[in-house]
Amino acid sequence: MNGTATGLRPYALRCDHRTTPLGIGGRTPFLSWRLAADDDAPRGTAPAAYRVEVTPDDDAHAGWDTGRVEDPEAIGVVYAGPALRPHTRYHWHVTVWTADGAEGRERSWFETGLDAGEWRASWIANDWTAVEVVDPPEEGERALDAHGLLPCPLLRREFSASTTPVRARLYVSARGLYEMRVNGRRVGDGELTPGWTDYRHRVQYQTYDVTALVRAGGNVLAATLADGWWSGYVGFEPRRPGAHYGGFPQFIAQLHLDYADGSSQVIGTDERWRTSDGPIRYADLLMGECHDARRAAGGWDEPGFDDRDWPAARVGDTDTATLVPSVDEPVRALAELSAVAVTRIGPERHIVDFGQNFAGRVRLTVRAPRRGQRIVIRHAETLDDDGGLYTANLRTAAATDTLITDADTVVFEPRFTYHGFRYAEVTGLAELHPGDVTGVVLHSDTPRAGTFDCADPAIRRLHENITWGQRSNFVSVPTDCPQRDERLGWLADAQVFLPTACLGADVAAFFTKWMHDVRDAQGPDGGFSNVAPRLAGVADEGAPGWGDAGVLVPWHLYRVYGDERFLADSLDAMCAWVDFVHRHNPDLVWRHKVGPHFADWLSIGRPTPREVVATAYFAHSAELTARAARVLGGDQADRAERYAALARDVRAVFTARFAGPDGRIEGDTQTAYLLALAFDLLPDDLASRAARRLAALVEEAGPGLTTGFLGVGLIAPVLDRWGRADLVHALLRRTHRPSWLYPLRHGATTIWERWDGYTEEHGFQAPAMNSFNHYALGSIGEWLYQGLAGLDQAPGSVAYRELVVRPRPFDGEPCWAEAAYDSARGRIAVRWRQDDDGFRLDVTVPPGATATVHVAGDDHAAVREGEHPAGESPGVEFVGIETAATGGKTLVYRVESGDYRFFARRTG
Ligand code: BGC
């Protein structure tokens, strides 16, 4: 609802970075909005003040009104009204005024979840004695079936509602995975719920509005459970399933019904639920799923089903202390891919190519099946030389789904597994048509934020591959890969890719959740881990660059989203981490407590010395911890001082120990210079020498790169900052390995784990570690937006308050690039083109932001903006001419919010 006579429109209202979330937990949510200018609003229309009003559904209780707050920079406010009541819907309005008094208004809502003390339900499980398995398992023990896995339990409970409720909320979770149904209808569209956390600390529950599903009279609540991360195979070095958290899946749910007469009814999980095993004979994230359609219990999820033979559920504990409301959006089926080819490779055997490597599963329609027909779907990222699936790199992940048909047509899509694949082999059908198979793409629902395009089709494809790498690996946690027996939340992978990830999608809620995982995984001594959620025995002690993600990630999230709570929630953990490194390395060279020290993982050639990598990260983490404390201010001021001093000391030690007077850094590798320069570790004179040496090393290599995971995301920003965008262009366009475009020669549709995952000479890299869908090396994505397209924020800016628009044109015809990004403040767009006529640049600056715009050229008189000479154009101020280290010149302008069209006529 917009006010009249507006200059600005608030939109994309979010509560804790989610749109209309149901069941939030925090009692001080962050209510944020973005701004768009009306079409006729003059340039420079900027917010001057805002007001947020929050009112509970039930007007018997007090709301909150900020009143008019004069704050031109605000993008949100942390709720500070009367204590929020549980399971209550709150409506909120934001009003934004311009300096001229024009008003824009928009509304949204959020709803609170249960108070921790309101859980009445118990954890329940299948009665394993009634399931056909050889040995009924005990808690912590599994019977052996296909992969040591057991059938997926069904649970149901009928209840009667005296009349139709006016409001029904269902709170659900599982130790394992659940799919919930009410009266035969599926509840929600989340997949793999409740998601992965370290279940020993935290189990997320989801809240559903089921008002439309509950009716007067008989109703049924029905759930299917699966092992998931709780009791299935997790990580590598496969253990017996159930080794990490628990032995078999368990379920908890509580339904709250409110009636018109003010009465209410609560139904929770207890011994009145009945259980059975159903058609899913096993389901596992790594191994796959087996569905025996002959065992389907028709109508089991409808009221009136005869469940007299079903035993009562086994009631486990009533420990609800670990239950917390989800803070992220669940995994959802977010896209579908059609088969681009179906090839028959033998009798009853076909290979399906979906044309894209992704994470998800196959939906298969089987027409006129014979009862008992066995159809097997195997998955792989690539094919071997004979045209069959190449599965060696999946290691022990069987990634195999099996369907045993009944006599009716079936549409089969596994429920509780996912695979990383482009190709599927379907066995057991004489004929398979492309229309019979669909690739269902699964990932955590992180709304798309950025778009990028440019004249070079190879770079366009590279960007696509980066985007697919992100989609495939943001599955409840940021994983390293979606296909093999690993799929872990490796900390370095996440931190190096984060800047790119934030441009690709709105990942604020996703990383809010993961930062809980990271902090849950922190040891009592302050040590972060290498993977989060922590998995016992998986490289527990955080390595340099890995553990540091606990500091780097919240800092970056704060800069992108402007929500100080990213820092407030993590500051203690950040300090504890820096203290931990400091305590064990009092001489400030980080060599003790380095965990498995992965150094610059998967780099090429000479390794970067481990102490150089580690000490650089030590300095950087201390510096960012100081900055975080400074932002929070108040009683954190002392900490800001202390960590700033520590950072200075570590930088001094780094310079003294590792840098020579000529700027050479020990190891003399690209990554050694990149860390030193990106983290500002060197005094100015040494920094410029180090930058020259870096450029020389890149040139000597081809130009080429030798960086691994830690260096790769820094090479473009650092070279560019030191005036060598020309070298970045050369690296980007290089097509022989190692390079970003080399995998395209081999048909890559995602980013590879290794620079040489497949080569003409040697074929596939060692299958022990060769994923074709790892996002870390895709961290060049940041520069495609910030450098190539030129859409960036200034170094000290937060939430895109101060933009820097500085495209880096490249040689070649046609030469253009464009990017758009839905920032926390509003939409930013940049589009440029260079041709024989000159240089054109279109820029959109959102309300409340300002931008420094660089137009290629050196003649201010030859530049127009829209209808005017640039110097006379409203809202445009000429600042001066800037010369890059390589000689290229740009004309620099300051602009306010609005749309601009610059054109610099070619003069030379
Ligand atoms: C993972 C990585 C991870 C690394 C640690 C690998 O197995 O796939 O991406 O960061 O181990 O070195």
Side-chain angles (χ1 to χ4, degrees), residues 490-502 507 511-512 514-515 518-519 522 528-529 543-561 563 566-567 569-571 573-578 581 590 613-628 647 674-675 678-681 709-711 713-714 779 782 793:
W490 285 98
L491 269 72
D493 305 39
Q495 66 96 348
V496 303
F497 188 66
L498 182 67
T500 299
C502 290
V507 294
F511 274 101
T512 299
W514 191 63
M515 279 311 302
V518 169
R519 291 190 299 265
Q522 189 173 31
F528 282 122
S529 55
W546 270 251
D548 296 286
V551 175
L552 275 65
V553 171
W555 174 256
H556 190 78
L557 294 172
Y558 160 69
R559 276 209 63 212
V560 171
Y561 298 111
D563 179 356
F566 284 118
L567 304 179
D569 293 346
S570 274
L571 187 67
M574 294 159 106
C575 293
W577 165 251
V578 175
V581 175
W590 183 4
V613 171
T615 307
Y617 266 99
F618 182 16
H620 193 46
S621 280
E623 172 64 30
L624 296 186
T625 301
R627 285 189 208 172
L674 290 170
L675 295 172
F679 300 164
D680 290 318
L681 305 182
F709 277 26
L710 297 183
L714 307 177
S779 48
E782 180 189 22
Q793 68 172 328

Side-chain angles (χ1 to χ4, degrees), residues 234 726 770 857:
V234 188
D726 61 317
N770 193 26

Side-chain angles (χ1 to χ4, degrees), residues 826-856:
R827 186 173 166 81
I828 307 168
V830 177
R831 172 203 298 255
W832 61 264
R833 183 184 178 91
Q834 183 165 276
D835 56 27
D836 287 344
D837 295 342
F839 181 81
R840 271 164 233 278
L841 172 63
D842 298 350
V843 181
T844 300
V845 180
T850 54
T852 305
V853 178
H854 292 249
V855 176

Side-chain angles (χ1 to χ4, degrees), residues 236 395 479-481 484 486-488 490-493 530-531 546 598 601-602 709 753 768-769 771 774 776:
F236 47 27
R395 305 195 303 218
T479 61
D480 56 336
C481 56
R484 67 184 179 214
E486 185 153 0
R487 313 184 191 184
L488 297 173
W490 285 98
L491 269 72
D493 305 39
N530 286 301
V531 297
W546 270 251
F598 302 113
W601 183 245
L602 299 183
F709 277 26
E753 176 175 25
M769 217 189 77
S771 142
H774 247 64

Side-chain angles (χ1 to χ4, degrees), residues 4 12 29 65 93 139 146 153 155-156 232 256 343 459 472 548 579 582 611 669 677 718 748 771 786 865 876 896:
T4 48
D65 185 348
H93 285 84
E139 169 69 59
L155 298 116
R156 74 187 303 276
H256 287 227
T343 313
I459 293 175
S472 318
D548 296 286
D579 291 348
H582 189 189
E611 292 175 8
T669 64
L677 294 167
V718 169
S771 142
Q786 299 187 344
E865 190 287 307
V876 178
E896 301 171 335

